[in-house]
Amino acid sequence: MIIDCHVHLCAFMPGHGSMSKRLLNSLPFRFMRWRLGINDVVPDAFTEQKLVDTLVRLLDQSDLDAAVLLAFDAAHDFEGRFDAANTHLYLTNDYAIELCAKHPKLKFGASIHPYRKDAVAELERCVKAGAVLLKWLPIVQNFNPADKRCIPFYEALAHYKLPLLSHTGGEKSLPNMDITTADPMLLRPALDRGVTVIMAHCGTRSAPREVDFVPNFVRLAKEYEHCYGDTAALNLPTRWYAYPTILNDPQVSKKLLHGSDWPILPVPHPMELSIRQLFSLLKMGNWLQRDIDIKRLLGFDDAYWHRAARVLRIS
């Protein structure tokens, strides 16, 4: 099976999730809304359904057998309390479970803030509901993966053999809380406890002057058998630079999993493709398939396309 292990949706209705006005009005999200044909001034249930219908349609029209739909937990404070003021994107586990039950090609990716009082209990609930991985974005959700309070959560992840997909490197689509938590090295405590860790974006920068954490990802991918990286959003100009490093090192290339970060727009690298290839890709409206086609032209091997299904134990 060919699995995209990293796709997102937005939610606006009570019980489903929310999006802050700051995020809705940001330039990246204005562009995405325009490109997806969502022009609602006040997003509502119709907007939600339109997003779901778009994702399912594009998935059916792609070479993918399935995609992992990622829930996205709210920000929480140091005491583990819901932090509404700093929550800009929120998609509940219940809503993700509901959508995955309706659409067989969507697989449930849970999201749980590790400082929550009920974190382990919620993890157990999500495992029973069919979660194939657990999603984190520490610099946005406001926690440190190396914090000792995460240890019981790591032990639970290891017990249930549930992979952890954690953002590494820069982030520009969402407001940042603590950029120091972007370092892949902070995930060592999870790796040391036997958790399968998928480092989203392979530690790449999201802007030219940011710290480059790709060397740290490479080091961990070589050191730990159960450490992987996904290629989500690597087809953005600010992240292109990582391709030679991760593709030309045999030890690292065999640790890569396919991810797109849809609805992020994949942009083909003009220096790596012919003019004909470039224009053909730019005309392609299905961003899920465009991301696949770009990576095929860049030389990703056959094992890469099937690795996510094996790591996530999806058959």
Side-chain angles (χ1 to χ4, degrees):
M1 296 181 72
I2 301 178
I3 308 292
D4 185 333
C5 72
H6 195 140
V7 305
H8 293 280
L9 280 173
C10 300
F12 311 100
M13 303 305 294
H16 292 179
S18 61
M19 182 181 286
S20 69
K21 289 183 178 180
R22 174 180 172 182
L23 191 56
L24 277 170
N25 293 326
S26 67
L27 185 60
F29 276 82
R30 283 180 178 271
F31 172 77
M32 280 189 276
R33 289 168 66 189
W34 168 77
R35 188 61 185 82
L36 294 170
I38 298 169
N39 301 312
D40 308 350
V41 176
V42 180
D44 54 15
F46 176 79
T47 311
E48 271 192 1
Q49 190 58 49
K50 189 171 183 179
L51 279 169
V52 174
D53 292 344
T54 299
L55 173 58
V56 172
R57 174 175 55 82
L58 296 179
L59 183 56
D60 285 339
Q61 295 173 355
S62 75
D63 293 339
L64 294 166
D65 295 298
V68 181
L69 171 61
L70 302 175
F72 198 89
D73 205 358
H76 287 65
D77 65 17
F78 192 75
E79 301 299 325
R81 295 171 300 204
F82 185 96
D83 184 357
N86 289 305
T87 295
H88 298 282
L89 179 65
Y90 181 34
L91 192 138
T92 67
N93 287 318
D94 284 339
Y95 184 46
I97 291 168
E98 176 188 327
L99 292 176
C100 293
K102 290 180 180 178
H103 304 284
K105 283 192 173 184
L106 294 179
K107 305 301 178 183
F108 173 37
S111 184
I112 304 165
H113 196 291
Y115 293 176
R116 284 172 50 169
K117 305 296 184 184
D118 66 340
V120 173
E122 177 65 2
L123 174 62
E124 292 171 345
R125 188 179 76 90
C126 289
V127 168
K128 290 178 181 178
V132 298
L133 60 77
L134 192 287
K135 164 66 175 176
W136 277 354
L137 209 169
I139 61 176
V140 170
Q141 293 170 317
N142 195 27
F143 66 91
N144 187 335
D147 192 310
K148 63 182 180 180
R149 286 176 295 172
C150 296
I151 292 175
F153 197 77
Y154 291 146
E155 292 172 345
L157 285 172
H159 172 76
Y160 289 109
K161 296 181 173 59
L162 191 69
L164 170 62
L165 173 65
S166 186
H167 181 105
T168 58
E171 168 64 40
K172 284 291 180 284
S173 296
L174 298 167
N176 293 183
M177 292 282 286
D178 183 359
I179 61 172
T180 66
T181 60
D183 190 347
M185 287 296 176
L186 297 176
L187 291 160
R188 267 192 186 276
L191 291 163
D192 287 340
R193 284 162 179 81
V195 179
T196 295
V197 177
I198 305 165
M199 297 185 173
H201 320 297
C202 300
T204 49
R205 296 187 300 255
S206 59
R209 295 184 181 180
E210 290 178 347
V211 177
D212 178 17
F213 290 113
V214 172
N216 288 359
F217 159 68
V218 168
R219 178 180 171 184
L220 293 171
K222 291 181 177 182
E223 186 175 344
Y224 293 90
E225 183 180 354
H226 50 289
C227 177
Y228 298 87
D230 85 5
T231 59
L234 260 59
N235 285 323
L236 289 178
T238 53
R239 301 186 194 266
W240 285 339
Y241 75 93
Y243 274 133
T245 299
I246 64 174
L247 280 177
N248 296 334
D249 187 323
Q251 287 182 274
V252 178
S253 64
K254 69 179 183 180
K255 293 296 196 73
L256 301 177
L257 276 60
H258 178 60
S260 66
D261 212 3
W262 188 92
I264 296 294
L265 170 67
V267 181
H269 194 319
M271 301 304 292
E272 300 290 337
L273 306 170
S274 69
I275 297 297
R276 182 176 180 179
Q277 290 170 333
L278 183 63
F279 278 98
S280 177
L281 289 165
L282 290 175
K283 289 191 297 183
M284 186 177 294
N286 186 336
W287 293 356
L288 288 171
Q289 187 63 40
R290 184 196 289 188
D291 190 70
I292 291 171
D293 288 355
I294 293 171
K295 288 169 182 172
R296 281 177 172 157
L297 289 169
L298 290 173
F300 281 84
D301 63 16
D302 185 65
Y304 161 82
W305 298 105
H306 303 96
R307 191 171 292 120
R310 175 176 60 80
V311 173
L312 301 182
R313 299 183 296 168
I314 298 174
S315 62

